[in-house]
Amino acid sequence: MKVFVASTTASVLDAVAGARCGDEVISVAGEPDLHRVERHIRSNGQDIDAILLHVPDTDSPDFKTAMAIIARLDAAPVCVILPRRASTGQVRRCYVMGAAATLCEEDLPETVGHILCLMTTGAHVAVFGDGLIQPPPTDLGKLSERELQVLEGICRGHQNKEIAHGFEIKEVTVKMHVRAIIRKLNAKNRTHAAMIARDLGLVG
């Protein structure tokens, strides 16, 4: 099994290299810079069985970069490795963007082999602390990072005009995002979309 790992942390690379998926030996290719991940995967994607993106700080711009990468990638299933302090909303956001799995970096050595095996079967799983976090239904359409931002505004009770002003975009663009959010969440209206988002923990 060939696994691509985006991480600057040697212990993460070592844990993945030492993992097993059944009888398969795991070979690891890596790229420390998240901004160069897509280019590397697009040129070698046909040979990659799984992708692991390490985001050691969910408050850094790297979290947003990782979400954008997940939304655009379809070369192989993606697992996001997050710090233990990541919120349930951040974990669920990974799934909405298209991740197959999330994993706490502290649990990596014990669980990464099992997670990789599950990912290659098409399973979606989140292992955090003492248990599993239930991923949102896989039939939800992927929300873009901007759609998630607009959804957060809706959940705060902001009108389209206020959301547009906050992001310095046109109100008609916000309306377009709201329509897409409602469609992707299978909601009846914006209020229903906000209820779904809160139920799924998509907004923090």
Side-chain angles (χ1 to χ4, degrees):
M1 171 184 285
K2 189 167 183 182
V3 178
F4 181 87
V5 182
S7 179
T8 57
T9 308
S11 61
V12 169
L13 296 167
D14 292 343
V16 177
R20 298 289 251 177
C21 179
D23 294 331
E24 286 192 71
V25 175
I26 295 173
S27 67
V28 178
E31 170 58 64
D33 185 354
L34 272 176
H35 295 86
R36 295 198 306 244
V37 165
E38 283 184 272
R39 188 173 0 159
H40 182 94
I41 290 173
R42 294 211 188 282
S43 61
N44 301 297
Q46 66 276 9
D47 297 333
I48 297 171
D49 297 305
I51 300 164
L52 277 70
L53 303 178
H54 182 210
V55 183
D57 182 3
T58 52
D59 294 327
S60 77
D62 284 347
F63 183 73
K64 186 184 253 187
T65 300
M67 295 305 99
I69 290 169
I70 295 166
R72 291 189 297 261
L73 280 180
D74 56 8
V78 178
C79 173
V80 185
I81 303 166
L82 297 169
R84 186 165 305 280
R85 69 181 176 280
S87 69
T88 302
Q90 289 169 326
V91 172
R92 289 180 184 260
R93 180 174 283 198
C94 294
Y95 288 105
V96 171
M97 299 308 286
T102 54
L103 179 61
C104 177
E105 60 191 359
E106 293 172 23
D107 301 329
L108 188 68
E110 297 84 23
T111 55
V112 69
H114 301 295
I115 294 292
L116 289 169
C117 289
L118 287 169
M119 284 171 58
T120 57
T121 66
H124 287 72
V125 64
V127 179
F128 254 79
D130 297 330
L132 298 174
I133 294 174
Q134 183 64 39
T138 55
D139 61 344
L140 289 179
K142 288 183 184 179
L143 295 177
S144 69
E145 187 64 29
R146 178 64 84 196
E147 287 166 351
L148 281 168
Q149 292 167 343
V150 170
L151 182 57
E152 285 175 358
I154 293 169
C155 289
R156 289 188 188 113
H158 296 165
Q159 297 302 314
N160 290 349
K161 192 173 198 173
E162 295 171 288
I163 296 169
H165 180 71
F167 294 117
E168 298 180 353
I169 58 177
K170 295 184 185 278
E171 189 176 352
V172 68
T173 304
V174 173
K175 287 180 184 177
M176 178 190 69
H177 288 311
V178 171
R179 280 196 299 271
I181 290 164
I182 290 168
R183 186 185 77 251
K184 290 179 180 181
L185 294 180
N186 296 319
K188 296 176 183 146
N189 52 42
R190 63 189 288 136
T191 304
H192 188 214
M195 291 169 57
I196 291 169
R198 286 194 184 102
D199 289 346
L200 294 176
L202 300 181
V203 291

